[in-house]
Amino acid sequence: GERRNDSEAPPGENRICTIMIAALSGFAALATHLAADQVKDVADRYLEELCKQVDAFGGTCRWRPSDHP
């Protein structure tokens, strides 16, 4: 069917949704060697790049690190 942005859909409309769950391999081990602000920086950079890729394929990221400083 035709692809629509969420903002174009009427409230209460049923639609197909894909949820992506992603893990950063080795992140927990890395985090034990970094300060809290460094852990946040690594996670934020990863999530920003992930959202760029989702956007490039027509998807929508509902949470972005830049929205939560």
Side-chain angles (χ1 to χ4, degrees):
E2 184 179 322
R3 188 173 222 166
R4 295 191 320 187
N5 186 322
D6 281 344
S7 62
E8 299 171 5
E13 177 182 316
N14 289 331
R15 64 186 88 183
I16 295 173
C17 174
T18 301
I19 297 172
M20 179 172 67
I21 298 171
L24 184 56
S25 180
F27 184 75
L30 175 66
T32 63
H33 301 287
L34 300 175
D37 61 330
Q38 292 173 310
V39 172
K40 182 182 181 313
D41 288 344
V42 170
D44 286 353
R45 285 195 317 252
Y46 170 74
L47 291 170
E48 284 295 341
E49 185 58 37
L50 183 67
C51 285
K52 285 180 193 175
Q53 295 302 314
V54 169
D55 291 342
F57 285 89
T60 302
C61 277
R62 296 300 233 166
W63 186 92
R64 293 177 185 272
S66 57
D67 295 340
H68 306 277

